[in-house]
Amino acid sequence: MSTRLLNRVEAIDIARGIAVFFIPMAHVLLLYGSTSTQEESWLGIIGHFFGKWAGVFLIAMGFSYTLSKRNTITSSIQRGAYILLIGYVMNFLKFVPLTVLGLLPENFVKAYGWSLPLNTNHILYMVLTGDILQLTGLCLCFMGVIHAYAKKRKEFTLLLAVCMLVLTNYVRGYHTGVGGVDYLLDILWGKDWNVYFPVFPWFGFILTGMFFGYVYNEHDKNIKETFHKIIRYGSIVALIGGWLCYDNYELHMNDYFHLGVGGFLFLLGINLVFFWLAQQLYENVKLGKVMAVLQYCSRNITSMYVIQWVLICWGMAVLGYKNKTPYEVLIWGIVFTGATLGVQKLIETIQFKKRIRQLFGIITVTYKKMLTKVNERKSRSTIGF
């Protein structure tokens, strides 16, 4: 059965698959690269450029959502809650074991403005940190309702994205003074480092992906027509955003995670262009086994994201924090990429063996029941004789 028949779009898999390979490298640079490595080296420049591709996953998520059969309101809320749970479990695994064992590097702790030993509030802060999984999980909880209305009114998704973008600077950082409520508000529009991907404005990437997913469906899954619109919209938006960033980079790009209008538009535009380039790659280059690898990474993006983060954080116990040269970062980035793929395959192997054991268990139980029934029939026949 072809990929298209499975409701998968090759360019989406290629773009998402390529981006997966840059995730460990970007995070290794972030945690292991020295200040000079991050800010002055050739690897720092490249790493920061490719590290700004979170929009690839979000746009792909929105696009794929419109093709999925699991886009009802109930299913979306269930999936959203599941992703949220995974996000917090990931945070727990990243930091709590190292904290309990006393293996967190001291300079890592000082980067938070804290000192050892950490108390319960410090640990809770790390576990509740808002990452991209918190963003996608919460957005999924709303996407079912949005889809129910927008699937026949696709422009609504863009209108909603624009409204959120415009409102971001007005609501960013707003608090009520109530602890639990303020945490939820931080997830929505926080401005501090307890939340890296607030819903405002990052949800706009997902909504844009949904828009082009609707375009794809409206054009009877015509790839060329859809990606013609993607490159046209993407180029225009990137130029507008690029001009705004050039005019005032600090205002519009900010710290990347808490984007302004120009930064949002620029990154949205270049990410859309990247999807178009992925489509050109698929059409003009025979990818062979590489395509299978990219599709594998695309299918397993959530688990691989969790695996690489946990491995890289645990690695600080041995490798330290922000102390590596560009070439050391490059080597460890490759190592952690390979380790992520290896652990992913190991987990699948264990799950496969578990399923095989379950299958054999079912077969064994069924066989015993059948054997018992046969023996009972023979017994009755003997008695009757």
Side-chain angles (χ1 to χ4, degrees), residues 51-226:
K52 290 181 168 60
W53 292 87
V56 169
F57 306 114
L58 301 178
I59 295 171
M61 172 185 168
F63 193 107
S64 301
Y65 180 87
T66 64
L67 309 181
S68 173
K69 294 180 179 179
R70 297 184 298 164
N71 53 22
T72 63
I73 295 175
T74 301
S75 177
S76 298
I77 293 173
Q78 291 172 341
R79 290 167 60 196
Y82 177 67
I83 294 296
L84 280 168
L85 177 62
I86 290 176
Y88 290 113
V89 170
M90 181 187 76
N91 286 346
F92 181 92
L93 292 174
K94 283 166 63 178
F95 300 118
V96 174
L98 292 179
T99 303
V100 172
L101 296 173
L103 296 175
L104 271 179
E106 186 175 356
N107 56 338
F108 174 81
V109 174
K110 287 182 178 179
Y112 279 89
W114 304 334
S115 59
L116 293 172
L118 298 182
N119 59 39
T120 304
N121 288 333
H122 295 148
I123 296 172
L124 194 61
Y125 180 95
M126 291 189 289
V127 172
L128 293 179
T129 297
D131 196 80
I132 199 167
L133 293 180
Q134 280 75 15
L135 165 69
T136 54
L138 188 59
C139 289
L140 263 172
C141 292
F142 296 105
M143 285 168 67
V145 176
I146 295 171
H147 174 68
Y149 181 81
K151 59 186 176 183
K152 294 183 180 179
R153 309 168 185 84
K154 64 180 185 297
E155 290 80 8
F156 175 73
T157 55
L158 292 184
L159 177 63
L160 185 58
V162 170
C163 289
M164 294 182 73
L165 180 59
V166 171
L167 287 173
T168 295
N169 284 335
Y170 294 97
V171 298
R172 176 171 284 160
Y174 174 76
H175 282 164
T176 63
V178 180
V181 174
D182 285 345
Y183 173 73
L184 293 175
L185 295 180
D186 280 340
I187 295 293
L188 287 174
W189 48 60
K191 64 176 182 179
D192 297 317
W193 292 108
N194 62 325
V195 175
Y196 285 84
F197 291 95
V199 173
F200 284 65
W202 285 97
F203 196 4
F205 285 84
I206 299 173
L207 293 168
T208 302
M210 291 178 69
F211 171 79
F212 285 110
Y214 296 136
V215 170
Y216 178 63
N217 285 325
E218 280 187 2
H219 288 85
D220 296 323
K221 295 181 169 50
N222 186 315
I223 284 288
K224 289 191 174 182
E225 182 64 28
T226 302

Side-chain angles (χ1 to χ4, degrees), residues 21-41:
F21 276 96
F22 287 104
I23 293 177
M25 184 63 71
H27 291 159
V28 166
L29 176 66
L30 179 67
L31 290 189
Y32 296 156
S34 65
T35 301
S36 60
T37 297
Q38 293 194 33
E39 297 178 359
E40 301 171 9
S41 72

Side-chain angles (χ1 to χ4, degrees), residues 250-269:
E250 290 187 4
L251 173 66
H252 290 285
M253 191 58 73
N254 198 1
D255 55 26
Y256 168 67
F257 295 103
H258 307 90
L259 293 168
V261 173
F264 174 91
L265 294 175
F266 176 68
L267 292 176
L268 177 64

